[in-house]
Amino acid sequence: MFHVKQLTVNDVNYEIVDEGQGMPLLLLHGFPDSKKLWYQMIPELTEQGYRVIAPDLRGYGNTDMTVSYKIEDSARDMFDLLAYLDITNAHVIGHDWGAFLGWYLAAQYPTLVDSYVALSVGHPNGYLRGGGARQMMKGSYIGLFVTPGISEKLISAGDFRILGEMAENERLRQNWYMDLARPGRLTSGLNWYRHNISAILGSKLDSVMVPVMGIIGKQDPALTTAQMKASERYVYSSFDYHEIDAGHWMPETHPEVITKLILDFLSLADLKKV
């Protein structure tokens, strides 16, 4: 379907989609997804003249399970992965944990990131400060996810019934089941929460200097619109904000809407560079 490559970066064997030609776009998924989250969007992005790089992140899809899932290690991987592909700068798009990773890249690797699109998850500093008590309630599931053993048992119970309840369409459910039912894969996905819980609750990430667009679904069950709006405080460039009539997995459920917003944003970001 797409051009898939296997690359070894910092002793981690990554599987990535590398599709199209032109200005690079780095697409970063979150839990419990893989690079397949972007498959509905990739054809239009490449048709409009972009080169899409979409990796399975550490422990997800067909990329290695590792010892560390800390955000800083994955950020270094992304920098080195792009360097391996002779890419020195790119637009970045992230969703869920991929959005957290994208914020980190924009803050800590500013020469790499030309612009950033955050889907669902706002700047980490605004997660609780902007979302407040309502965000704490919506994020209460994290307490389960960071508890080893118990969370694995509950999520896998009834042939992964909870995944079916989380999924917003059948394709998501099937993708998650095929990926996470494999030995060790559910734990590796949950380790993104366990290894980064302090970053969620007490983030002091730097503000970002690149243009940013934040998009969130009005019916997102896990995230408030307030935490995304609060991101503007931590962006020292332009900040575009959009709410759409959607839930959490917008790249899968609303790819046309998301892709149009992204292409409009990227065209302006590219013009500002000229």
Side-chain angles (χ1 to χ4, degrees), residues 73-224:
D73 292 330
S74 289
R76 186 180 72 252
D77 287 354
M78 293 303 100
F79 181 87
D80 292 342
L81 186 153
L82 292 180
Y84 182 92
L85 297 172
D86 294 323
I87 295 172
T88 58
N89 56 295
H91 298 294
V92 177
I93 304 168
H95 176 260
D96 194 81
W97 270 111
F100 195 111
L101 176 56
W103 284 111
Y104 191 95
L105 282 169
Q108 300 298 319
Y109 294 84
T111 61
L112 175 71
V113 180
D114 284 337
S115 73
Y116 179 48
V117 178
L119 303 178
S120 303
V121 176
H123 191 285
N125 292 0
Y127 179 77
L128 293 181
R129 297 170 197 169
R134 187 160 181 264
Q135 183 56 63
M136 291 181 68
M137 291 179 62
K138 281 198 164 194
S140 60
Y141 67 91
I142 294 175
L144 169 64
F145 283 8
V146 299
T147 307
I150 295 175
S151 52
E152 279 89 343
K153 289 180 180 178
L154 287 175
I155 293 172
S156 62
D159 204 23
F160 289 84
R161 183 182 65 254
I162 287 179
L163 293 184
E165 295 172 354
M166 289 169 53
E168 294 176 1
N169 65 26
E170 181 61 17
R171 184 164 47 214
L172 278 173
R173 187 196 69 79
Q174 291 183 3
N175 287 342
W176 297 347
Y177 183 82
M178 287 188 294
D179 285 342
L180 299 183
R182 296 174 297 166
R185 289 290 174 167
L186 176 57
T187 294
S188 65
L190 292 169
N191 278 342
W192 277 74
Y193 292 87
R194 295 164 184 169
H195 292 196
N196 295 292
I197 185 63
S198 60
I200 298 174
L201 298 179
S203 177
K204 295 181 180 178
L205 186 67
D206 291 341
S207 296
V208 304
M209 307 296 291
V210 302
V212 174
M213 179 169 66
I215 310 174
I216 188 167
K218 297 177 185 177
Q219 289 85 45
D220 194 309
L223 295 150
T224 65

Side-chain angles (χ1 to χ4, degrees), residues 4-73:
V4 175
K5 297 178 178 178
Q6 283 75 37
L7 305 175
T8 300
V9 181
N10 299 322
D11 297 322
V12 179
N13 296 312
Y14 272 87
E15 183 169 286
I16 71 169
V17 165
D18 184 354
E19 191 79 12
Q21 297 179 342
M23 182 65 195
L25 303 182
L26 177 63
L27 275 53
L28 306 170
H29 69 83
F31 178 87
D33 293 299
S34 68
K35 62 183 179 299
K36 288 179 282 190
L37 176 71
W38 306 107
Y39 281 10
Q40 308 309 307
M41 296 174 56
I42 290 174
E44 181 65 16
L45 292 172
T46 56
E47 186 175 325
Q48 295 302 318
Y50 290 95
R51 178 184 179 184
V52 170
I53 311 297
D56 285 331
L57 296 176
R58 285 187 175 210
Y60 290 110
N62 293 322
T63 290
D64 282 354
M65 295 181 284
T66 67
V67 173
S68 172
Y69 295 89
K70 289 184 177 180
I71 208 76
E72 55 265 35
D73 292 330

